[in-house]
Amino acid sequence: MLATVPGRERGEAPPAVALRWAEPSAGGAEVSAPYLLTTAVFDGSPPAVPVPAGVHTHSDGLLVWPHHGSLTLYTRDSVRRLVPGQGIWLPPGTPHDASCDPGSVSCYTYVTRAAIPPHWSTPRPLRVRRALQEMLLHLDATPMPDDLRLRTQRVVIDLLEEDPHPAIDVPVPADGRIRALADDVMRDPESELSLEAWAARHALSVRTVTRAFGRDVGMSFARWRALVRMSAATTLLAQGHPVSLVAHRCGYSATSAFSAAFRRVTGVSPTEYLRETVPVQADR
């Protein structure tokens, strides 16, 4: 039952064009009766079945989680980069798009409406431990009697828990012109371009960009870019890169300045973040 399909939900780089949120394509149910859930794995291989392209929805609930590497989840109002151990729950009908880095393996666990806990009515970060990942993959790769499969699927749903160290949620402007600028910044967190330079590159005035960020995301461009950089930093740290390299890749010439900025956003230093998250991932 394991569906291995290419990722974006196809293994491509983050989109270089604005995503279309007004009319997301609608997907049908992925879970066949009488089962409660199923998992699709996207590893960049040629498609075995048709897959949705661009912004879309599902009639089932959806748990998005990377098994290897990292993936980026796009929703109408935010962008989240996920690393192994982190997951995001999307209720049925939530418009979204996703991409995974080259060499990554991203997974999408669909849950039938009847099995969704009543309080899971909004998106939320979930912890997906290594043991839970293996259970999900085992369920879809291994033949077993229906009664055993259903019992195991119920246990899996009971084991899902909210993540105390969720992925950094990066809000994005609603204005399509400003979102295009934001997408460029998120693709290049190392860039030292000023607000003026970014605005000029997109033929926008500084005033227009400043007002849009204040109105749509509730913070200044400088504070928002720091959030983007820290989101990228958590992914790089989880991949095992040294703090000094992560600082450079996120636009900081001094490791001390990067560490201070990281603490302001996450509440812990990069070293503390590694100490708290890496053992959890190993446990998974």
Side-chain angles (χ1 to χ4, degrees), residues 195-208:
L195 169 58
E196 290 76 12
W198 280 116
R201 177 174 289 189
H202 286 263
L204 296 166
S205 70
V206 171
R207 182 181 180 184
T208 296

Side-chain angles (χ1 to χ4, degrees), residues 2 11 14 17 24 30 36 44 64 74 96 105 126 144 154 170 180 210 219 222-223 225 230 235 241 252 272 276-277:
L2 183 62
V17 297
E30 302 284 345
L36 306 181
V64 182
Y74 304 87
H96 66 281
V105 177
L126 296 183
M144 63 181 69
R154 292 189 186 98
V170 180
T210 300
M219 64 183 73
R223 183 181 171 194
R225 180 161 64 176
M230 295 309 105
T235 300
H241 296 292
Y252 291 86
E272 291 168 333
E276 291 179 4
T277 59

Side-chain angles (χ1 to χ4, degrees), residues 104-122:
S104 296
V105 177
S106 55
C107 302
Y108 302 82
T109 297
Y110 305 92
V111 181
T112 186
R113 286 175 178 265
I116 298 173
H119 60 286
W120 286 18
S121 58
T122 58

Side-chain angles (χ1 to χ4, degrees), residues 53-72:
V55 179
H56 60 282
T57 64
H58 298 285
S59 58
D60 293 319
L62 176 62
L63 172 61
V64 182
W65 53 280
H67 183 59
H68 175 74
S70 64
L71 69 85
T72 303

Side-chain angles (χ1 to χ4, degrees), residues 89-145:
W89 167 257
L90 300 178
T94 303
H96 66 281
D97 193 18
S99 63
C100 59
D101 293 337
S104 296
V105 177
S106 55
C107 302
Y108 302 82
T109 297
Y110 305 92
V111 181
T112 186
R113 286 175 178 265
I116 298 173
H119 60 286
W120 286 18
S121 58
T122 58
R124 64 189 58 219
L126 296 183
R127 174 181 287 187
V128 189
R129 296 178 181 272
R130 177 63 66 181
L132 186 58
Q133 295 180 33
E134 297 305 325
M135 287 178 68
L136 287 167
L137 297 179
H138 179 75
L139 273 169
D140 279 334
T142 307
M144 63 181 69

Side-chain angles (χ1 to χ4, degrees), residues 1-281:
M1 295 175 60
L2 183 62
T4 302
V5 289
R8 203 183 135 75
E9 296 174 348
R10 279 187 319 226
E12 301 172 2
V17 297
L19 297 174
R20 301 181 62 179
W21 297 100
E23 299 179 358
S25 59
E30 302 284 345
V31 184
S32 301
Y35 306 115
L36 306 181
L37 57 84
T38 189
T39 298
V41 179
F42 295 76
D43 63 357
S45 62
V49 295
V51 295
V55 179
H56 60 282
T57 64
H58 298 285
S59 58
D60 293 319
L62 176 62
L63 172 61
V64 182
W65 53 280
H67 183 59
H68 175 74
S70 64
L71 69 85
T72 303
L73 176 68
Y74 304 87
T75 55
R76 189 184 302 274
D77 301 317
S78 66
V79 176
R80 299 175 179 88
R81 288 182 63 82
L82 305 173
V83 296
Q86 296 176 327
I88 296 294
W89 167 257
L90 300 178
T94 303
H96 66 281
D97 193 18
S99 63
C100 59
D101 293 337
S104 296
V105 177
S106 55
C107 302
Y108 302 82
T109 297
Y110 305 92
V111 181
T112 186
R113 286 175 178 265
I116 298 173
H119 60 286
W120 286 18
S121 58
T122 58
R124 64 189 58 219
L126 296 183
R127 174 181 287 187
V128 189
R129 296 178 181 272
R130 177 63 66 181
L132 186 58
Q133 295 180 33
E134 297 305 325
M135 287 178 68
L136 287 167
L137 297 179
H138 179 75
L139 273 169
D140 279 334
T142 307
M144 63 181 69
D146 282 355
D147 60 342
L148 175 58
R149 183 177 299 280
L150 287 167
R151 288 200 306 271
T152 307
Q153 290 180 345
R154 292 189 186 98
V155 170
V156 165
I157 292 172
D158 288 341
L159 288 175
L160 293 173
E161 57 183 324
E162 295 214 30
D163 194 341
H165 302 288
I168 294 176
D169 188 352
V170 180
V172 290
D175 187 315
R177 300 170 303 159
I178 312 300
R179 180 148 187 170
L181 180 152
D183 287 342
D184 275 355
V185 175
M186 288 187 287
R187 279 192 291 270
D188 189 12
E190 186 179 339
S191 173
E192 297 181 357
L193 286 179
S194 64
L195 169 58
E196 290 76 12
W198 280 116
R201 177 174 289 189
H202 286 263
L204 296 166
S205 70
V206 171
R207 182 181 180 184
T208 296
V209 176
T210 300
R211 291 177 64 178
F213 272 90
R215 179 187 66 242
D216 293 348
V217 305
M219 64 183 73
S220 68
F221 174 81
R223 183 181 171 194
W224 176 84
R225 180 161 64 176
L227 197 63
V228 169
R229 287 173 166 175
M230 295 309 105
S231 176
T234 58
T235 300
L236 293 168
L237 289 168
Q239 291 171 344
H241 296 292
V243 173
S244 58
L245 176 61
V246 174
H248 175 73
R249 294 274 298 275
C250 293
Y252 291 86
S253 57
T255 302
S256 58
F258 164 72
S259 296
F262 191 90
R263 182 182 288 277
R264 283 196 297 271
V265 172
T266 66
V268 296
S269 70
T271 302
E272 291 168 333
Y273 177 86
L274 282 170
R275 190 162 54 240
E276 291 179 4
T277 59
V278 171
V280 173
Q281 291 189 40

